[in-house]
Every structure is written in C-alpha cells, then in structure tokens.
Amino acid sequence: MRDDPTVVDLVTRARDGDKNAWDELVERYAPLVYSVCRRCRLAQPDIDDVGQSVWLRLVEHLPGLREPAALPGWIATTTQRECIRLIRATSRVEPVDFEHAPDVPEQAIAEEEVLRHERKMILRTAFAELSRRCQMLLGLLMQDPPAPYDEISRRLHVPIGSIGPNRSRCLTRLRQTPALVRLAADGPDDRTRG
C-alpha cells in the first residue's frame, strides 16, 4: 500500500520527535528487515547487526525522506545493501539472490519483499478483526500440519460436522473485513505498478 496513510502519519510524527511513532515504525518493519536478512542467509548475530545499521540509517535519513509512503521500499533496499556490505566485509560467499541474478534488478527484489510484508500485515489486521472463535478455528486449521478435526472438535467443543461450515463462514467474514476488501479492490496488478 504505497499511499498507506498510517505509514505517512507515523513517518511524519517520528520526524517530529514522537518516540511512540518511532517505536511503532520499528515494530511494524522489523519483520521486513528480518525477512530480507534471512533471504541473504545471515546468522542471527549478523541479522541483529544489519538491523541496527538499518535503524541508524533511518534516523539519519528520516528528515530528508521525500516520500514518507515509500518508507517500506527504502527499508527493504537499505537492508539489502547492508546485508551485501556485511557479507563482503566478512569475506563470506556472495548472496546468490542479489549478485548472481543480473536479470532481476535489486529494486524489483526490494519491491517484492515490501509487497509480501504488506500483504502479511494486511492479513494479520484482517485476522485480528475476526471473532476469537473464528481466530481459534482458522488458527488450528492453518497450523502445519493442520490439526485433525477430532482435535479441533475437542478443543473448541463443537461437533465434527460443524467444523467445515464454521470454517466457511469464518473465511467469508475474513474476506469481508475492510482490510482485505481494500486489498482486493487494489488488485495484484495495481499494487505492482510504479
């Protein structure tokens, strides 16, 4: 969501020195930093170092950030660059995803990572809007491997025959949450265009 008003508001408030806004930005985008680092196959101590570098760079560049809504892309790109810098500095193997794939521009990889992160955030928001009972049912069905129906029946105190219909109703409610309705309205093609 490139024009996400929440991101614009958080960036604006963080620029003005609002510590809560800064903390929320870090909490919101730490998973993005982590996922980019994991794609580069960094160990946890290196991920921590890259994360610190990214947040330090953001503190330095936040006042000059021209498009606050572009922050997720900036974070993804900065994280990729910090990962590559760290790998080169420690004489490790070059990351295949970035160095050995000249036909995939670095910016395209960053945008893909940002979109994946944003979709996860939207889905988490939509999931939080469901009733506790739907959250529990879908959570049991979505774990890997899914819980067997007899276990779900026992844990939720529902007949086995009602699990499928309840799942269907919960998924319908999930699709009707405002967050997913907006995502569907944007369409996958609209979200990837510049």
Side-chain angles (χ1 to χ4, degrees):
M1 317 254 331
R2 295 172 194 258
D3 57 348
D4 186 347
T6 303
V7 175
V8 174
D9 177 59
L10 288 172
V11 169
T12 303
R13 288 178 26 224
R15 277 182 185 163
D16 294 339
D18 184 335
K19 182 187 179 319
N20 291 332
W22 173 260
D23 292 344
E24 195 171 333
L25 281 173
V26 172
E27 183 177 334
R28 183 179 184 116
Y29 292 109
L32 175 61
V33 171
Y34 181 82
S35 68
V36 172
C37 290
R38 293 303 299 161
R39 287 185 69 191
C40 290
R41 299 179 181 91
L42 296 184
Q44 190 60 49
D46 292 335
I47 291 172
D48 295 339
D49 289 346
V50 167
Q52 288 178 355
S53 296
V54 169
W55 301 124
L56 178 61
R57 292 202 186 284
L58 182 56
V59 167
E60 295 168 350
H61 290 89
L62 194 60
L65 192 64
R66 290 179 299 213
E67 295 182 44
L71 179 66
W74 186 93
I75 289 173
T77 300
T78 301
T79 303
Q80 287 176 344
R81 290 178 181 158
E82 286 299 313
C83 288
I84 291 168
R85 185 194 59 74
L86 178 79
I87 290 167
R88 286 183 178 153
T90 57
S91 301
R92 293 197 179 155
V93 177
E94 296 294 320
V96 174
D97 290 342
F98 306 120
E99 297 296 317
H100 296 26
D103 57 327
V104 179
E106 182 177 306
Q107 185 62 29
I109 295 170
E111 287 177 8
E112 175 186 321
E113 201 66 43
V114 169
L115 289 174
R116 184 178 302 118
H117 175 73
E118 287 177 349
R119 285 186 199 110
K120 285 180 184 177
M121 296 259 323
I122 291 167
L123 187 55
R124 283 189 190 116
T125 300
F127 190 78
E129 294 175 15
L130 294 175
S131 68
R132 179 73 181 132
R133 191 153 185 86
C134 277
Q135 289 178 11
M136 290 171 50
L137 175 61
L138 294 178
L140 289 168
L141 291 167
M142 296 307 295
Q143 63 187 28
D144 189 19
Y149 271 32
D150 60 339
E151 180 184 336
I152 294 170
S153 172
R154 191 176 59 255
R155 289 177 66 179
L156 298 182
H157 308 289
V158 298
I160 288 178
S162 70
I163 294 173
N166 281 328
R167 178 193 65 206
S168 179
R169 283 190 285 277
C170 290
L171 289 173
T172 297
R173 288 184 192 124
L174 183 65
R175 282 190 287 273
Q176 293 171 347
T177 59
L180 288 185
V181 167
R182 280 192 306 275
L183 180 64
D186 286 348
D189 293 336
D190 296 339
R191 295 177 53 74
T192 56
R193 283 188 206 139

